[in-house]
Amino acid sequence: MTQQVYTPPGNAAWCDLVNPRLFQDKARWEGDKGRYSLTLQLDPDSPKTVEFRQRMEAAGDELFQEMDAQEKKKLIKANGFLPIEEEEDENGDPTGLLIVKASRNAGGITQNGPRKGKEWSRNVTLFDTEGQQKEFNDLGRGTRLIACVTPQAYRVPGSKNEVRVKLELRSAMILRPEYRSNDEGSDFKGFQVDDEEFSSNFEAASADGDY
């Protein structure tokens, strides 16, 4: 099963949407180009967040059942089965928000199969509030956005039978950009957008292509 899921509008607690970053500044495999990543803050009491969690739980259950049916050994759901959790501050206290994590590998070299030795690359497609693809400079913390993700089940490394769900980051609609560069960080200071107005634009635009 492969399905797209749209997050509710939220603020980025962390994001690398434009320039991928190597994990601990080291390549994980041959030709590793790093990964794009997003940690998105959501209001747990928002009806859209409640709906999103329900969709994620349903998608996670379906993915787990599909994987379990293909394995000889009985699988179990690991702690933190879904990439949704309560946000904590630097002291370990709850902030009252939820965080959702998603990522996408930026590229590498195929190790097996007919494309062995071939280089591959991917990016995260970004849209403006009109649903048009747009290039943004290095977006940073506080950027308000909607993300399009694909849930994927995987075996937890080092475990015998534990499974978790991760989110493949496909694309994002930028509702209110915040930049890492101070020169551009104030361009949209105080600028307000209507989240509801732009959500349908994003879903329609991202459905037109495989982003």
Side-chain angles (χ1 to χ4, degrees), residues 19-136:
N19 298 311
R21 186 184 300 263
L22 286 172
F23 180 69
Q24 296 181 344
D25 296 324
K26 296 180 181 179
R28 296 165 294 169
W29 54 74
E30 186 180 3
D32 183 12
K33 296 181 179 179
R35 68 175 183 173
Y36 302 95
S37 63
L38 170 67
T39 301
L40 190 66
Q41 297 170 317
L42 299 177
D43 175 5
D45 298 323
S46 165
K48 283 188 172 293
T49 300
V50 173
E51 180 183 358
F52 172 72
R53 293 189 74 172
Q54 291 172 343
R55 290 193 63 186
M56 283 297 304
E57 289 168 358
D61 287 343
E62 185 174 347
L63 287 167
F64 177 81
Q65 291 168 9
E66 288 178 356
M67 181 176 283
D68 190 42
Q70 297 171 3
E71 296 286 337
K72 295 181 180 179
K73 187 178 182 66
K74 184 67 176 178
L75 300 179
I76 61 174
K77 295 179 180 179
N79 290 333
F81 176 64
L82 295 176
I84 304 173
E85 59 190 69
E86 289 187 359
E87 183 184 54
E88 296 180 347
D89 62 20
E90 60 273 13
N91 298 318
D93 298 322
T95 66
L97 298 174
L98 294 177
I99 55 172
V100 177
K101 296 183 178 181
S103 63
R104 165 170 265 191
N105 291 324
I109 296 176
T110 303
Q111 300 299 309
N112 300 295
R115 291 186 55 81
K116 182 177 180 179
K118 299 290 185 180
E119 187 173 336
W120 59 272
S121 63
R122 292 179 294 189
N123 63 2
V124 175
T125 307
L126 302 178
F127 296 86
D128 62 19
T129 54
E130 298 297 324
Q132 301 297 314
Q133 290 187 47
K134 181 178 177 179
E135 292 185 4
F136 289 85

Side-chain angles (χ1 to χ4, degrees), residues 148-169:
C148 177
V149 298
T150 301
Q152 299 175 344
Y154 70 98
R155 295 281 290 271
V156 176
S159 74
K160 294 182 179 180
N161 61 342
E162 293 184 335
V163 175
R164 286 196 182 106
V165 171
K166 64 180 180 179
L167 296 180
E168 172 83 4
L169 180 58

